[in-house]
Amino acid sequence: MKTARPMDAASRAMLEDSLERYSREHYDRAAWRAFGREPDGYATAVWAQLGEFGWLGLGLPEELGGMGASLCDLLPLAMAAGRGLWRDPVLERLGFASGALLALPPGALRDRLLAGIAEGRERLAYAHHERSLADAAATLTTRAEARVGAHVITGGKSFVLAAVSSTGLLVSARIAGSADPGLFYVKGDAPGLTLAAYTTVDDRVAADIRFTQTPAELLAAGTATLNAAHTRAAILAAAQAAGVLQAVNTATLAHLKTRQQFGKPLAQFQALQHRLVDMHILQLESAALVQAVATAYDAQAPHLERQLWQLRVQSARAARVVTQQGIQLHGAMGMTDELPIGDYYKRILLLDSLFGSADTALERLAAA
Amino acid sequence: MSTYDSRRGGTALAVAATDHPDMQPAFDPQQFRAEVRAFCRDSLPPDLAAKSRRHEYFSKEDRIRWQRILHARGWYAGHWPQAYGGQGWGPLQRFICVEELEYTGTPWLTHFGISFAGPVIYTFGSDSQKQRYLPGILNSDTWWCQGFSEPGAGSDLASLRTRAVRHGDHYRVTGQKTWTTMAQWSDMMFCLVRTGAEKRPQQGISFLLIDLKSPGVTVRPIATIDRCHHINEVFLDDVEVPVGNLVGREGDGWTCTKFIVSNERLLVTELGKAKRLLEELRVLAAMTRDGDRFVAETFSFRRRLAELEVQLATLEALAYAAVSAAEGGVAPGPAASVLKIRGSEMQQAIFDAIIEVLGHGGLAFQTEAIAAECHAYRHGPESQAGLLFEHLHSRATSIYGGSNEIQRHILAKAVLGL
């Protein structure tokens, strides 16, 4: 696989500007609410647009229609998605799905899917966990049995985001007669596929999926692909969280400067000033650490797994404090649906559930 | 393996609270606690008990039903003086009762009538007001809400601007109240209004009882992040309120407010609720998978639970120290701001742990199941919607009733003399 080429400073600055302008012009609160009324909790038209801008293909190979940029160069996109509270499955498709596919050698199916992601045409969902979001490859019960020239999948997947609007699924399953798990591709209109959809805490849509002898194509056997998916997604999720924290801090600072009680703006109370500073520091740390881990990822550095646990601890703790204080410092207004402040908190709750708590990550670090 | 027994702690402290030889209570704390707990388990109707297990948000009818059951037993207004239909309980008996009501998961007693409006009326009100309003509070015929906060007067409540202008035998009231809990269910609102323009803003505030069916009253729901409707804005547009609805004299409003706040001090700890939630957390962790183990089996969870146990034991000790002092005649006063701070932090800490456990299975938030039994497809345990609602709602515990920042300000000034 070709090593990613980092973007030059000018291109990077242009990208950040475009992202900022896009959120400002197309993702205000009214638009955010409207997108939420779509069947999958986000607008597929928006997804297609992100593809047209070339943003979806940023980190994908040039020969497949992408820009071949590094993961570091993807961070601004992930942060913008956090700042703007984008509903779109950036994490699911550019993190999990792309992470899995990029780990595979070039091949007809793999290339077609990646090219489709870059274009915004292929809307993949990543279906891995079953009874718990911490399911490791070893505990999967969904199984794949070989049929002539293909496989069929039977089992169930839980809490799959962006499944309702998906054109296809990447599904992990035990391969019958083998110790290895495998990653399979299932077409969106495959027979034997049923979805039960529901709203998530951050007002998006997830689904529980039942597979009954559903035809599937094997992409790869082994755990490496699943790990690659998780790794890429974990880093983009931490970047998204760092973006959410930026938005919380900006909003909270503005609120304290305007809200007056006891004859003066709340921003003049020193106790609150110091708290804002603490929130600011936590956000800086989150951005710095995700940058460091993304750099290590691009350099294929060893001990990346340990860095991912560190990132999880820092990101989870910082995000919990900042988003909860964001609500607190808005007073009762922080409890209303009128402001996005509560929705930033809910997004962080969702991200934390996908990647595990700080406590769990600390336990892993301590045990290793 | 020893487990923290919430019952032993509370009982021991409750007994200790009455150890003073001159202060033998008219009741046996241990026995009373057991009585209340047994009554709740036996008398909470099965449908309400089922709702409670699901952490479903109780309806107005549910709450009234329970309040009347409690009142028939003589425990709904146990803390009221006997002269007004109560049993003259002291702070300890009241605290134990509320603790057990919370612990057994009975519908939260909405305090606006039974703990705020009622006591204000029998303490500061006229005979006519007592006759008119107290019976309705006792038998739950009248639902009350609290008209205090305004868009421009949150922490700085004294800066409120709702105006009541006297016109002979009535006031004309114009203004806007906000964050009014359950106003959509309410018949009456006790309301702080400005009747005077004194130099100190507190001196110009009066306490008015407003019939929400009066012309000019509009109640509008406020959508909250917990996705369940319970707070509102109340617009008052030239509302006619009889002078007979003024409690005390003009300018007595702040005194009534301080009286309510001091009554609320111990209740706001919500100790029984914390105990119930901690047990709930254990049960959830024991049935939720974390990969190939159950959450309850992980070291990180057990350590987290231990932290919460310490926090709870400390809160309990703090609360019973205050109750003991109150039983001995020392009013809770500003020092009880500590209970508000730590009570809210305890709840938030437990809900943080609960949502992490629920997160293992995926944070579905099926809001249609918060206040109604949902028979459609459900992801996660049946209590998930209710618990997520409660987690989000718990973010308000450090904001309402005087934010924790204000509570620290009170402690700094009134206790530390800063």
Side-chain angles (χ1 to χ4, degrees):
Chain A
M1 185 182 75
K2 225 192 274 188
T3 320
R5 205 172 21 88
M7 285 171 86
D8 60 67
S11 306
R12 201 187 162 100
M14 230 167 63
L15 171 64
E16 288 176 6
D17 271 347
S18 307
L19 291 165
E20 202 47 42
R21 191 175 43 226
Y22 177 76
S23 281
R24 206 172 49 238
E25 291 172 6
H26 299 279
Y27 237 108
D28 64 12
R29 193 129 178 92
W32 186 86
R33 284 196 218 275
F35 298 151
R37 290 191 282 269
E38 298 281 328
D40 207 5
Y42 78 97
T44 51
V46 168
W47 189 257
Q49 210 174 24
L50 299 180
E52 279 164 40
F53 291 153
W55 294 345
L56 302 181
L58 269 174
L60 302 185
E62 283 179 89
E63 63 272 21
L64 298 176
M67 287 189 18
S70 64
L71 189 64
C72 280
D73 291 322
L74 230 50
L75 297 187
L77 176 62
M79 288 185 72
R83 266 197 314 275
L85 214 53
W86 292 6
R87 296 168 159 281
D88 318 275
V90 171
L91 184 64
E92 289 73 19
R93 291 178 189 154
L94 304 192
F96 287 105
S98 296
L101 296 170
L102 286 170
L104 302 174
L109 177 59
R110 173 256 196 201
D111 291 356
R112 181 167 66 76
L113 292 175
L114 280 173
I117 292 175
E119 269 179 66
R121 199 183 17 86
E122 189 71 60
R123 297 190 301 265
L124 293 179
Y126 186 78
H128 170 63
H129 25 254
E130 298 174 353
R131 292 162 308 170
S132 103
L133 269 56
D135 274 341
T139 56
L140 296 179
T141 59
T142 302
R143 65 188 187 283
E145 285 153 348
R147 291 283 184 271
V148 180
H151 286 81
V152 291
I153 287 184
T154 300
K157 291 296 182 184
S158 174
F159 205 78
V160 183
L161 287 148
V164 170
S165 66
S166 61
T167 51
L169 302 165
L170 297 185
V171 186
S172 61
R174 323 210 102 283
I175 300 174
S178 160
D180 279 341
L183 188 65
F184 294 84
Y185 168 68
V186 172
K187 279 194 237 187
D189 56 1
L193 198 58
T194 50
L195 267 65
Y198 40 83
T199 322
T200 62
V201 68
D202 64 336
D203 202 43
R204 290 190 297 150
V205 176
D208 294 341
I209 305 178
R210 197 110 281 284
F211 301 90
T212 313
Q213 308 266 289
T214 307
E217 208 176 322
L218 177 66
L219 281 163
T223 55
T225 321
L226 304 181
N227 291 342
H230 190 273
T231 300
R232 194 174 177 89
I235 298 172
L236 289 182
Q240 191 185 142
V244 169
L245 300 198
Q246 271 184 321
V248 170
N249 287 346
T250 303
T252 306
L253 177 61
H255 176 77
L256 290 192
K257 282 181 173 175
T258 16
R259 177 70 175 168
Q260 303 226 356
Q261 288 286 267
F262 307 104
K264 56 186 176 177
L266 294 184
Q268 284 184 23
F269 289 89
Q270 194 185 59
L272 304 187
Q273 289 176 352
H274 288 187
R275 200 175 311 169
L276 282 176
V277 168
D278 285 341
M279 289 160 70
H280 174 72
I281 293 174
L282 287 171
Q283 192 280 324
L284 287 181
E285 289 175 328
S286 291
L289 190 58
V290 72
Q291 183 71 47
V293 180
T295 303
Y297 175 97
D298 287 330
Q300 293 169 55
H303 312 303
L304 191 64
E305 202 191 3
R306 193 164 184 87
Q307 285 187 277
L308 290 178
W309 293 126
Q310 293 169 354
L311 183 63
R312 183 85 289 266
V313 176
Q314 193 286 330
S315 179
R317 284 187 173 160
R320 184 62 56 105
V321 170
V322 171
T323 50
Q324 288 185 342
Q325 287 306 312
I327 292 173
Q328 179 71 16
L329 290 171
H330 274 81
M333 286 166 66
M335 292 298 297
T336 71
D337 248 356
E338 198 184 310
L339 300 179
I341 197 77
D343 293 307
Y344 293 126
Y345 179 58
K346 290 171 179 176
R347 176 60 60 88
I348 292 301
L349 289 176
L350 189 285
L351 291 176
D352 276 355
S353 74
L354 292 180
F355 295 96
S357 66
D359 281 354
T360 305
L362 262 183
E363 191 176 345
R364 297 291 190 116
L365 280 169
Chain B
M1 182 176 71
S2 69
T3 52
Y4 173 71
D5 184 345
S6 56
R7 291 160 296 174
R8 262 189 278 120
T11 305
L13 287 165
V15 168
T18 56
D19 267 353
H20 195 287
D22 296 336
M23 292 301 313
Q24 286 316 298
F27 75 108
D28 177 335
Q30 244 172 312
Q31 193 185 313
F32 180 63
R33 183 185 294 280
E35 251 183 88
V36 178
R37 193 174 291 196
F39 176 80
C40 289
R41 295 234 152 101
D42 297 338
S43 309
L44 184 66
D47 63 318
L48 297 190
K51 274 196 179 186
S52 178
R53 277 191 301 276
R54 289 192 298 270
H55 285 265
E56 213 174 287
Y57 190 75
F58 290 106
S59 69
K60 180 181 177 184
E61 292 66 37
D62 292 339
R63 294 162 199 263
I64 289 176
R65 194 153 42 118
W66 174 245
Q67 284 167 191
R68 288 181 176 155
I69 290 171
L70 211 51
H71 186 51
R73 185 62 180 82
W75 290 347
Y76 181 49
H79 55 297
W80 283 25
Q82 286 172 338
Y84 296 114
Q87 303 213 37
W89 288 347
L92 177 62
Q93 192 162 10
R94 168 73 162 152
F95 191 85
I96 291 173
C97 184
V98 171
E99 190 190 333
E100 290 305 313
L101 290 174
E102 289 172 356
Y103 178 65
T104 50
T106 60
W108 171 69
L109 289 186
T110 40
H111 292 297
F112 306 113
I114 200 65
S115 303
F116 303 160
V120 162
I121 291 168
Y122 66 62
T123 307
F124 300 99
S126 65
D127 287 338
S128 162
Q129 286 166 346
K130 293 173 194 175
Q131 277 162 34
R132 249 185 296 149
Y133 297 116
L134 297 184
I137 292 172
L138 288 173
N139 63 24
S140 298
D141 275 349
T142 317
W143 196 280
W144 287 77
C145 66
Q146 174 171 303
F148 277 17
S149 298
E150 298 180 0
S155 291
D156 188 6
L157 185 57
S159 71
L160 65 92
R161 305 230 299 257
T162 296
R163 198 115 181 73
V165 179
R166 178 99 181 238
H167 293 268
D169 69 348
H170 64 272
Y171 289 99
R172 302 205 82 90
V173 184
T174 296
Q176 183 190 345
K177 293 298 178 184
T178 190
W179 321 127
T180 324
T181 305
M182 295 170 181
Q184 82 277 18
W185 291 345
S186 299
D187 306 295
M188 296 289 297
M189 176 172 73
F190 57 89
C191 193
L192 291 180
V193 297
R194 186 162 298 289
T195 43
E198 281 74 348
K199 200 156 170 227
R200 269 189 71 237
Q202 288 87 339
Q203 293 169 320
I205 294 174
S206 299
F207 201 94
L208 217 51
L209 307 175
I210 300 183
D211 183 339
L212 292 177
K213 286 184 295 301
S214 309
V217 175
T218 310
V219 175
R220 199 187 291 166
I222 295 174
T224 44
I225 67 173
D226 53 26
R227 312 303 310 280
C228 187
H229 172 216
H230 47 96
I231 67 170
N232 307 267
E233 292 177 299
V234 179
F235 295 89
L236 304 162
D237 189 11
D238 212 31
V239 178
E240 194 177 303
V241 180
V243 153
N245 284 26
L246 174 72
V247 176
R249 290 165 313 199
E250 282 188 15
D252 280 351
W254 206 247
T255 304
C256 294
T257 306
K258 288 193 287 191
F259 174 82
I260 286 176
V261 165
S262 73
N263 273 3
E264 198 189 10
R265 288 273 188 239
L266 300 176
L267 298 177
V268 91
T269 319
E270 295 195 285
L271 183 65
K273 183 172 179 181
K275 290 179 178 179
R276 176 174 177 243
L277 288 173
L278 201 60
E279 288 187 8
E280 185 81 51
L281 173 65
R282 281 175 199 278
V283 168
L284 267 178
M287 61 179 245
T288 303
R289 300 200 73 89
D290 175 5
D292 56 352
R293 303 170 295 173
F294 286 97
V295 173
E297 295 169 304
T298 66
F299 179 76
S300 60
F301 174 78
R302 298 212 317 260
R303 196 193 162 128
R304 180 75 163 271
L305 190 62
E307 300 248 15
L308 293 170
E309 280 181 19
V310 172
Q311 208 172 336
L312 180 59
T314 309
L315 179 65
E316 183 167 43
L318 214 55
Y320 274 97
V323 172
S324 167
E327 190 76 2
V330 178
S337 285
V338 175
L339 291 177
K340 203 277 177 175
I341 293 170
R342 287 312 203 222
S344 60
E345 289 175 355
M346 178 84 254
Q347 243 186 85
Q348 290 177 340
I350 298 176
F351 276 118
D352 276 351
I354 285 177
I355 204 168
E356 277 178 31
V357 174
L358 289 176
H360 281 277
L363 290 181
F365 190 23
Q366 296 174 274
T367 57
E368 61 277 14
I370 294 172
E373 201 175 359
C374 185
H375 299 285
Y377 180 86
R378 289 247 237 157
H379 177 99
E382 61 167 8
S383 56
Q384 178 144 335
L387 285 172
L388 274 182
F389 155 72
E390 288 196 50
H391 172 98
L392 295 167
H393 181 70
S394 79
R395 299 320 307 168
T397 58
S398 50
I399 298 172
Y400 64 39
S403 69
N404 285 8
E405 288 77 13
I406 292 298
Q407 302 298 340
R408 285 181 164 93
H409 176 74
I410 290 170
L411 286 167
K413 288 224 115 64
V415 176
L416 299 185
L418 294 165

